[in-house]
Amino acid sequence: MKTSKRSEDTRKHIPSRLKGATLIERGLLRGTRNEPVRLLPTLNIVKIGGQSMIDYGRSAVYPLVEEILEVRHKHKMLLVTGGGTRARHVYDIALDLGLPTGMLATLGEQVANQNAIMLYGLLAAHGGVRLAKDQMDELPQYLASEFIPIVNGMPPYHYWEPPPDVGSIPAHRTDVGAYLIAEVMGAKSMIFVKDERGLYTDNPKTNRKAKFIPKIEVNELLEMDLPDLIVERPVLQMMLKARFARRIQIINGHEKGNLTRALDGEDVGTVIYVDAK
């Protein structure tokens, strides 16, 4: 019996410039860079910190909710929730049990989702609606109907979370998840609502000598190699490759009016940007 040999000539292919490609070869990859469209160019991504906002309870969350309702008809928003102190607690227990990073990432999403449910509860009567990750294609419908969509920020790496450079805590957490939504949607803005004025040279809660940084280019910030940051480090690395989300803003959500000012385009808090050059 003759053994048939497969060859490129006998393969069944749909005509394509990627025919037979490995999708790994560098030269090929350079040729795939395109000019993507902005899916939702009027959308503002508003990341609401778990530890910095929601964990404070009524005193911090109610004024922020009121401000969101005041600007909802002027600015289209997707609210993204963080995990906060409870996520840190579950990470600590999981680490003590010897669980791997992918398991920690999976557990962290559950806490961020709890915060999304609580925020939904406060906004339900005003059109708040929870959005699951696999429902992201429904986002334009919610925005057009003037709903207030809410999603938890943990990116769906889950068990597939890449090993971190240092330690075992997942490097891609809710700041990263919010940022990636801003990038893929071609959003108008990416605003991180925290409990500090913005970026400092160190954690101002533990170092009173830390200096405030109102505006900085991302390469300059990376070169500083600060001991602590108010935003997850992978966000800064991703900004260097971004096509759309090349500017992020960090504001103090405990000061009413800051979110409105940021949505209106004012450089309140700290602005981190990628130099156009």
Side-chain angles (χ1 to χ4, degrees):
M1 181 181 295
K2 293 183 178 180
T3 302
S4 60
K5 295 183 179 180
R6 292 185 178 182
S7 70
E8 185 66 25
D9 296 330
T10 60
R11 290 184 186 175
K12 301 293 189 292
H13 274 292
I14 296 174
S16 167
R17 64 190 173 119
L18 302 180
K19 178 180 178 181
T22 64
L23 303 184
I24 297 173
E25 193 268 318
R26 289 195 180 94
L28 173 73
L29 295 178
R30 292 190 189 97
T32 62
R33 187 170 177 84
N34 64 354
E35 292 299 328
V37 298
R38 287 185 179 270
L39 301 183
L40 294 171
T42 61
L43 176 64
N44 299 279
I45 307 298
V46 180
K47 161 67 192 307
I48 301 175
Q51 182 167 246
S52 53
M53 290 301 300
I54 296 175
D55 286 354
Y56 282 88
R58 177 188 290 260
S59 64
V61 177
Y62 270 43
L64 181 63
V65 166
E66 291 173 2
E67 188 170 355
I68 288 170
L69 293 177
E70 289 171 1
V71 299
R72 60 175 297 195
H73 297 297
K74 182 179 180 182
H75 299 286
K76 296 183 183 299
M77 292 174 284
L78 171 64
L79 307 182
V80 185
T81 56
T85 302
R86 281 168 289 121
R88 287 155 175 78
H89 181 58
V90 77
Y91 289 155
D92 191 29
I93 295 174
L95 287 169
D96 187 56
L97 294 174
L99 297 179
T101 296
M103 192 70 175
L104 268 67
T106 303
L107 290 167
E109 170 152 38
Q110 308 308 313
V111 181
N113 201 44
Q114 291 173 356
N115 286 337
I117 293 171
M118 288 194 285
L119 193 58
Y120 155 73
L122 295 177
L123 290 167
H126 308 281
V129 58
R130 282 186 59 223
L131 190 67
K133 301 282 173 46
D134 58 359
Q135 294 177 306
M136 201 60 68
D137 57 341
E138 299 176 18
L139 180 56
Q141 301 173 46
Y142 291 133
L143 296 173
S145 301
E146 295 197 341
F147 287 108
I148 307 173
I150 306 158
V151 65
N152 86 72
M154 203 71 177
Y157 292 112
H158 301 152
Y159 294 105
W160 294 268
E161 169 72 24
D165 293 334
V166 180
S168 299
I169 300 293
H172 305 95
R173 300 188 301 279
T174 54
D175 284 354
V176 168
Y179 176 80
L180 288 174
I181 295 173
E183 170 64 14
V184 73
M185 293 298 171
K188 178 182 179 181
S189 71
M190 174 68 253
I191 302 170
F192 292 95
V193 183
K194 306 279 188 176
D195 62 348
E196 294 291 350
R197 183 181 177 189
L199 175 68
Y200 287 77
T201 54
D202 199 357
N203 186 343
K205 293 184 177 68
T206 57
N207 182 359
R208 293 185 178 181
K209 295 183 179 179
K211 296 180 180 180
F212 175 65
I213 303 174
K215 192 169 187 177
I216 189 169
E217 203 276 331
V218 69
N219 285 287
E220 182 182 350
L221 178 55
L222 287 168
E223 289 175 4
M224 293 173 70
D225 194 23
L226 298 177
D228 203 352
L229 288 170
I230 197 169
V231 68
E232 292 162 18
R233 295 182 191 275
V235 169
L236 306 180
Q237 296 289 347
M238 291 176 179
M239 288 181 69
L240 298 175
K241 304 174 185 177
R243 309 298 292 277
F244 298 125
R246 297 168 65 82
R247 181 185 190 274
I248 65 174
Q249 193 165 0
I250 304 160
I251 66 171
N252 187 346
H254 292 259
E255 296 179 2
K256 190 167 183 179
N258 278 350
L259 177 58
T260 301
R261 293 164 63 194
L263 289 168
D264 286 340
E266 186 177 337
D267 285 356
V268 59
T270 292
V271 171
I272 303 174
Y273 65 99
V274 181
D275 194 324
K277 297 179 182 179

